[in-house]
Amino acid sequence: MLLGIHCSISGGLHKAFGESASLGIDTFQIFTKNQRQWKEKIIETQEKSIFLDDFKTSHVKLIFSHASYLINLASNDDILWERSVRALIGEVQRCHDLGLAFTILHPGSAKELGEREGIKKIIKALKTTLQETKNSALKILLENTAGQGSSIGYRFEHLKQILDGADSARIGVCFDTCHAFAAGYDIRTKTGFEATMEELDSIIGLKNLYAIHLNDSKGELGSNLDRHEHIGKGRLGLEPFRQIMNTFSHIPKVIETPKKDNMDAVNLEVLRGLINT
Ligand SMILES: [Zn+2]
Ligand SMILES: [Zn+2]
């Protein structure tokens, strides 16, 4: 069972290992740089060796990153699109240098371009990124979105079209529970959860699912609101998490709930308590 949280890198990338050790987790997600700034970051030799040493001596088995929120591979603005591709290439290189397994990416926002054209731009961007990072086996996982604004990825069909277009074993999918519910997939009950996962399997294929984000939802079903809530404290309740903890034990899972007091520890405890129930 790989279960963890999104760890902070404040004070340095290796700081994530202190947080993960204190929580006793075996996987985590990080940002490899300030996710709200375009400024690129090169991993220095020393920073890299400290991180790799800590990784080796830790109990952590697998680490992945979340790409910058600024990246928009569906942008119709050529400058923003180019910048986004550069930023994704930088992300893949940093993850590769740090021994990470994959990076998670929001597919993009098409705005006036429309979904069809937006998806074409995303495919082109991914192809360029893969081409320019051929030295790496790092996977890029497309995350399903809540459908806020004109974001692409709120239907499994979008992700499938991108997977088909990019046509590479280095592209996969990450399933976010809050986003799925906000996008209209009713996973609150066992039957609803199973139906959603069957849909995911028939459209995308479960073999392409490499990670799960465990988040309860502040927003209602179909609200398109991307607002994460603590596990069992939102509109989702505990059932979808019970299902995931018991049927997707082989897939790495992290929570991305608000950082407050000891809530990461509390949420992890709630999730562990759902096993075999
Ligand atoms: Zn995300
Ligand atoms: Zn997420």
Side-chain angles (χ1 to χ4, degrees):
M1 169 78 67
L2 289 166
L3 177 67
I5 67 162
H6 182 103
C7 283
S8 165
I9 54 155
S10 122
L13 287 165
H14 67 286
K15 292 285 182 185
F17 291 103
E19 195 177 8
S20 68
S22 71
L23 290 164
I25 54 177
D26 49 15
T27 189
F28 60 76
Q29 174 179 280
I30 50 170
F31 293 120
T32 63
K33 63 183 267 288
N34 185 325
Q35 82 282 12
R36 297 192 190 277
Q37 286 178 14
W38 282 111
K39 195 173 174 310
E40 271 306 305
K41 176 189 160 86
I42 308 285
I43 307 280
E44 304 294 341
T45 315
Q46 199 192 3
E47 190 176 24
K48 177 178 160 178
S49 69
I50 292 171
F51 188 91
L52 291 176
D53 283 348
D54 282 3
F55 192 178
K56 213 181 290 172
T57 54
S58 75
H59 293 291
V60 175
K61 305 224 165 33
L62 183 136
I63 308 169
F64 49 97
S65 91
H66 193 299
S68 167
Y69 294 131
L70 299 175
I71 293 175
N72 183 6
L73 304 184
S75 179
N76 195 26
D77 175 333
D78 288 344
I79 292 166
L80 182 59
W81 186 86
E82 282 287 342
R83 213 176 203 189
S84 296
V85 175
R86 286 291 126 208
L88 182 59
I89 291 168
E91 182 68 32
V92 170
Q93 278 161 349
R94 278 190 300 279
C95 290
H96 177 81
D97 286 347
L98 296 169
L100 272 50
F102 38 78
T103 184
I104 291 172
L105 173 77
H106 295 183
S109 185
K111 307 219 167 67
E112 68 285 351
L113 202 56
E115 285 174 2
R116 264 179 86 93
E117 293 305 307
I119 286 172
K120 280 188 198 163
K121 296 221 108 177
I122 295 168
I123 292 166
K124 188 176 167 207
L126 288 174
K127 283 190 160 170
T128 307
T129 303
L130 294 172
Q131 183 65 26
E132 296 211 16
T133 57
K134 267 198 279 189
N135 61 321
S136 177
L138 191 101
K139 286 189 186 349
I140 299 168
L141 306 188
L142 307 164
E143 181 175 5
N144 64 311
T145 61
Q148 70 278 26
S150 54
S151 75
I152 287 169
Y154 60 90
R155 296 293 311 168
F156 295 153
E157 287 82 354
H158 296 165
L159 303 181
K160 168 66 173 168
Q161 283 168 41
I162 301 168
L163 285 178
D164 282 352
D167 190 26
S168 165
R170 287 180 58 201
I171 309 285
V173 164
C174 168
F175 178 76
D176 185 302
T177 51
C178 167
H179 298 176
F181 182 67
Y185 292 101
D186 193 354
I187 55 172
R188 282 174 293 192
T189 60
K190 182 172 190 284
T191 41
F193 176 82
E194 284 172 351
T196 299
M197 295 322 271
E198 271 163 29
E199 198 176 329
L200 190 151
D201 190 24
S202 73
I203 296 169
I204 295 170
L206 283 176
K207 65 174 195 304
N208 290 310
L209 179 66
Y210 289 94
I212 298 177
H213 282 164
L214 298 167
N215 303 303
D216 207 329
S217 172
K218 275 196 188 7
E220 289 287 2
L221 176 68
S223 62
N224 300 127
L225 272 181
D226 183 0
R227 297 268 187 286
H228 300 183
E229 182 54 283
H230 298 294
I231 306 299
K233 302 282 182 221
R235 305 287 179 186
L236 277 176
L238 289 174
E239 193 53 34
F241 303 108
R242 176 180 292 115
Q243 295 301 320
I244 289 171
M245 291 303 287
N246 289 293
T247 53
F248 288 91
S249 51
H250 57 295
I251 305 227
K253 294 173 273 300
V254 296
I255 54 174
E256 300 174 298
T257 43
K259 293 263 179 204
K260 195 174 177 285
D261 306 325
N262 66 335
M263 282 312 287
D264 279 333
V266 171
N267 286 315
L268 289 168
E269 209 38 54
V270 169
L271 288 165
R272 289 178 187 133
L274 294 171
I275 300 171
N276 296 326
T277 62

